[in-house]
Amino acid sequence: MVDVMTKEQRSNNMKAIKSVSKLEDIVSRSLWKKGFRFRRNTKELFGQPDISIKKYKIVIFIDSCFWHQCPIHGNMPKTNSAFWKKKLERNIERDKEVEAYYKDKGWCIKRIWEHEIKEDLEKVMGNLEELINKQKAK
């Protein structure tokens, strides 16, 4: 498919996309307030987790309902559907590869859906706090 934007327009559009989402900011700030120390978007870790705590072997991924095809809210665009189907299926495959990698290495992996944060942040934070404290105790 031919791009409807010029190369310069597409470049400016892509530059405007932030690598850190607002949801990551919300979760990060909440974790920090609770006294947990971590790294964000650690490039040297496989899959570049949104939040990582190497000391306790924890990686946290915050998954967008669209990009990771949430079973509740994920939808397939109606235009250019062959492209999007391939693209979104590859995202799901990559998520499985990342999950298998960390499980094989003995790490604890937590995936949080976008809608979970929006619906009940306190529950999400309680679950994360419990997970981190459990790993600390090991």
Side-chain angles (χ1 to χ4, degrees):
M1 178 175 186
V2 178
D3 199 346
V4 295
M5 294 184 184
T6 67
K7 195 170 186 176
E8 186 179 309
Q9 288 173 323
R10 176 62 63 202
S11 178
N12 289 335
N13 188 23
M14 297 307 283
K15 285 178 188 175
I17 298 170
K18 305 293 181 218
S19 65
V20 177
S21 74
K22 291 178 183 174
L23 296 172
E24 288 176 43
D25 284 339
I26 291 167
V27 173
S28 295
R29 273 191 235 113
S30 297
L31 281 173
W32 198 265
K33 283 179 186 175
K34 291 182 180 288
F36 297 112
R37 300 302 174 245
F38 52 86
R39 294 284 175 252
R40 288 175 63 172
N41 301 306
T42 312
K43 287 181 171 62
E44 66 264 12
L45 289 178
F46 184 65
Q48 197 171 331
D50 298 315
I51 298 170
S52 60
I53 308 173
K54 290 182 187 179
K55 183 176 182 179
Y56 305 122
K57 290 186 162 187
I58 298 172
V59 289
I60 300 166
F61 291 89
I62 299 169
D63 292 343
S64 154
C65 289
F66 172 74
W67 290 107
H68 298 270
Q69 289 295 284
C70 163
I72 300 169
H73 302 106
N75 62 353
M76 189 64 63
K78 291 181 180 27
T79 58
N80 202 7
S81 56
F83 166 81
W84 284 109
K85 186 175 191 305
K86 182 179 174 186
K87 170 77 174 157
L88 298 174
E89 283 177 355
R90 177 62 189 126
N91 288 350
I92 294 167
E93 285 176 37
R94 190 177 309 110
D95 290 344
K96 289 176 185 173
E97 291 167 10
V98 167
E99 196 152 330
Y101 174 86
Y102 283 108
K103 285 184 178 179
D104 289 347
K105 302 279 184 195
W107 283 58
C108 185
I109 182 169
K110 177 71 173 163
R111 289 197 172 274
I112 304 168
W113 286 110
E114 166 188 6
H115 70 264
E116 292 176 316
I117 296 167
K118 290 177 177 177
E119 290 170 4
D120 193 352
L121 178 62
E122 292 304 315
K123 181 179 177 185
V124 168
M125 296 313 301
N127 290 341
L128 286 177
E129 190 171 1
E130 187 179 314
L131 171 80
I132 294 167
N133 288 330
K134 183 180 168 186
Q135 288 297 106
K136 263 187 186 181
K138 285 185 176 181

